[in-house]
Amino acid sequence: YTTLFRSKAGKTFADFVVESAAARAEYMLVNQSRLVLTEASMAAILQAIDRPASDRTLSPLADEDTADRRTDVEKLERGVDRGRFDCGHSELNDWLMHLALSGQFMQCVRTYVIRAGPSVVGYYALSVETFTIYRMPEADGQKALPQTISAMILLRLAVDKRHQKMGLGQSLLRDAIARFAREAQNRRLDVLLIQAKNETVRQLYIDCGFTPLPSEPFTLFLTRNSPTFMFRV
């Protein structure tokens, strides 16, 4: 097939395979998740999943008064202008510019954006991961049994500096939570996880209904039965 296949760019099939493999390897190295859940964290999430929803407080995101002020959020597609995006953090800018589409193509991550005209002014990225914990049975002599948690991870969320303090961050977070709520029902996802970069961001997520893990206070979560999902999606 190598001699027969040649793209419009003049590349052979072998070139395409090698470059695709290299791109995937580069993506996985740059974008690999650093999120590791301890046994205590896993136990806290499992306990929260089993807790009745009435035991929780309602998130400000559930306020119906804000439902009509949402901003359109759409899946990232080719042709969208990403080059002008600047949130003030080079790693977030570079990821959107160079890795978001390739990660989406490889089905490693999904990116959703808010646009002003053709240009991205805000985005967030999601991935899905499974964590396993081995629980010791009550009866002696039995093997430890694995129990899994299916997690959606909010990897990145950023707003262009020129569009900050306009509610776009809340619109992105609302959309991410609503997307998890729908997919949790269809795919049996258990929890939405996020890592806060600093105390200010951490407090914002707490105010929006996220719960910090006891042993990892900058990792926060929502479970699929959280009342945060009671707002209209």
Side-chain angles (χ1 to χ4, degrees):
Y1 293 104
T2 301
T3 58
L4 298 177
F5 177 90
R6 188 169 294 275
S7 69
K8 292 182 180 180
K11 296 179 181 179
T12 66
F13 182 72
D15 294 333
F16 176 78
V17 170
V18 170
E19 290 183 8
S20 297
R24 182 176 181 86
E26 178 186 8
Y27 180 87
M28 295 305 293
L29 285 172
V30 174
N31 195 56
Q32 60 182 333
S33 174
R34 295 187 297 269
L35 182 58
V36 177
L37 296 181
T38 65
E39 184 175 347
S41 297
M42 293 277 285
I45 292 173
L46 289 170
Q47 184 179 24
I49 291 172
D50 294 334
R51 190 186 312 154
S54 58
D55 290 348
R56 306 159 194 253
T57 58
L58 195 63
S59 163
L61 290 178
D63 184 359
E64 290 191 4
D65 291 340
T66 65
D68 295 330
R69 299 199 297 271
R70 299 179 195 170
T71 304
D72 289 338
V73 182
E74 60 193 43
K75 188 176 180 180
L76 177 64
E77 302 289 351
R78 292 186 181 277
V80 174
D81 180 12
R82 293 162 286 143
R84 301 179 187 179
F85 183 84
D86 182 10
C87 67
H89 298 278
S90 59
E91 69 276 13
L92 293 174
N93 299 337
D94 292 343
W95 188 89
L96 175 65
M97 184 64 186
H98 302 294
L99 292 172
L101 277 175
S102 59
Q104 198 157 267
F105 175 75
M106 293 179 287
Q107 299 183 350
C108 300
V109 64
R110 288 172 292 165
T111 302
Y112 299 90
V113 302
I114 293 175
R115 290 190 297 150
S119 301
V120 174
V121 297
Y123 81 92
Y124 72 87
L126 296 173
S127 69
V128 174
E129 191 168 340
T130 299
F131 299 89
T132 302
I133 183 174
Y134 286 86
R135 288 191 158 186
M136 296 303 297
E138 296 180 0
D140 294 336
Q142 294 183 358
K143 293 182 179 180
L145 300 176
Q147 187 165 4
T148 61
I149 293 176
S150 297
M152 178 175 280
I153 304 173
L154 184 58
L155 294 172
R156 290 166 176 80
L157 189 153
V159 176
D160 189 284
K161 290 188 297 184
R162 293 161 292 186
H163 295 265
Q164 291 176 1
K165 298 183 180 180
M166 298 171 60
L168 298 188
Q170 185 176 11
S171 293
L172 290 165
L173 182 59
R174 174 192 295 277
D175 190 80
I177 293 174
R179 198 171 300 279
F180 167 73
R182 292 191 293 268
E183 295 197 16
Q185 189 174 28
N186 297 331
R187 298 171 54 185
R188 302 299 298 172
L189 292 173
D190 299 309
V191 65
L192 174 63
L193 293 169
I194 188 168
Q195 289 182 299
K197 296 179 70 68
N198 54 53
E199 180 59 34
T200 301
V201 176
R202 176 179 178 271
Q203 190 58 53
L204 170 65
Y205 291 138
I206 291 174
D207 292 342
C208 289
F210 284 79
T211 301
L213 290 172
S215 58
E216 302 163 62
F218 281 83
T219 300
L220 303 95
F221 70 94
L222 287 174
T223 60
R224 61 174 180 246
N225 60 344
S226 168
T228 297
F229 303 144
M230 291 173 62
F231 65 82
R232 293 178 293 173
V233 296

